[in-house]
Amino acid sequence: MYKLIVIICSTREGRKGPIVADWFIPLAKANKHFIVEVIDLKEVNLPFMDEPNHPRLKKYTKKHTWDWSRIIDEADAFIMVLPEYNYGYPATIKNAIDYLHQEWLYKPVGFVSYGGIAAGTRSIQALKQVLTALQMVPLMESVNIPFFTKYINADNHFVATEEQNHAAQNLLFSLEKWTETLAPMRKARLHPEHK
Ligand SMILES: Cc1cc2nc3c(=O)[nH]c(=O)nc-3n(C[C@H](O)[C@H](O)[C@H](O)COP(=O)(O)O)c2cc1C
């Protein structure tokens, strides 16, 4: 079993991210390859990156950084539940990523994005570039929900279409394969700079 961390990336008052996540999480939990943990960046509540040393050195000076480091270190795979802010990703996820280095290396990451006409895809594309700087593997398969509020009912539940459920299963299948593939890489010797 691999540990899958689902990260809820938005933190603003009145955000919709948890509603979308609440649809996806049971599907992930039903997958027998993963033990799922949900991490909400609003609860993690990191300040703007305030460490004096480059994260590659792992010489953290703050408790909040060590707490965040332990969470991400334990993960074998990630799903980011990601909105699109001004054609990009929210600053909250970039900040959370920038805090760490070794903890992210060689891990796969999939996306459940949501937004207007572009369904959050511009956000994903911009974030992929950041993630590859950390040797992460962003997946091609993703769930992209356009005009996502259409699928939120009066009880604030996300009611997915057949296609969205299918896309979620495709994403989880791809994540399984990449998780299995990358796990041995992390066991092997790390690059000397990452020691
Ligand atoms: C600051 C901001 C910028 C936004 N920019 C975009 C955008 O570029 N593209 C888009 O599809 N939706 C955009 N939206 C609308 C979001 O898709 C929508 O508000 C969504 O609920 C945001 O996710 P959240 O509720 O989890 O924060 C933006 C929303 C905010 C708050």
Side-chain angles (χ1 to χ4, degrees), residues 119-133:
T121 52
R122 292 173 292 220
S123 177
I124 294 180
Q125 289 306 108
L127 192 54
K128 279 182 176 176
Q129 192 176 346
V130 173
L131 297 168
T132 56

Side-chain angles (χ1 to χ4, degrees), residues 5-185:
I5 290 190
V6 177
I7 302 180
I8 299 173
C9 295
S10 64
T11 61
R12 71 185 178 88
E13 196 75 31
R15 71 209 163 118
K16 303 281 193 260
I19 297 174
V20 177
D22 282 347
W23 157 64
F24 183 81
I25 289 160
L27 301 179
K29 285 188 172 167
N31 184 304
K32 64 181 187 318
H33 294 85
F34 295 117
I35 296 168
V36 177
E37 187 181 351
V38 180
I39 295 294
D40 183 347
L41 291 186
K42 192 176 178 72
E43 284 168 24
V44 176
N45 200 22
L46 287 164
F48 270 125
M49 212 289 226
D50 56 0
E51 287 288 345
N53 303 309
H54 193 295
R56 197 176 57 212
L57 303 171
K58 214 173 176 181
K59 288 186 179 156
Y60 306 137
T61 63
K62 308 272 172 15
K63 182 182 178 299
H64 56 250
T65 313
W66 279 116
D67 291 345
W68 182 229
S69 165
R70 272 187 288 274
I71 290 169
I72 299 304
D73 218 15
E74 283 181 3
D76 296 301
F78 300 97
I79 292 288
M80 294 180 176
V81 179
L82 187 73
E84 180 171 299
Y85 285 1
N86 296 316
Y87 287 26
Y89 43 78
T92 43
I93 184 63
K94 179 67 161 63
N95 187 51
I97 290 167
D98 290 344
Y99 260 99
L100 309 177
H101 185 90
Q102 298 182 29
E103 299 85 340
W104 298 113
L105 292 175
Y106 308 113
K107 294 182 181 176
V109 48
F111 306 94
V112 175
S113 75
Y114 53 98
I117 195 160
T121 52
R122 292 173 292 220
S123 177
I124 294 180
Q125 289 306 108
L127 192 54
K128 279 182 176 176
Q129 192 176 346
V130 173
L131 297 168
T132 56
L134 288 156
Q135 310 264 22
M136 297 186 81
V137 177
L139 304 192
M140 184 277 279
E141 288 83 359
S142 61
V143 179
N144 313 119
I145 308 162
F147 303 112
F148 74 100
T149 50
K150 275 198 313 195
Y151 307 99
I152 298 176
N153 70 14
D155 297 327
N156 271 337
H157 286 124
F158 187 85
V159 183
T161 62
E162 201 180 316
E163 288 80 9
Q164 287 160 353
N165 281 312
H166 185 67
Q169 295 304 341
N170 279 346
L171 171 60
L172 286 163
F173 180 71
S174 177
L175 193 62
E176 262 174 59
K177 288 186 81 72
W178 278 105
T179 305
E180 282 171 6
T181 304
L182 292 174
M185 265 186 88

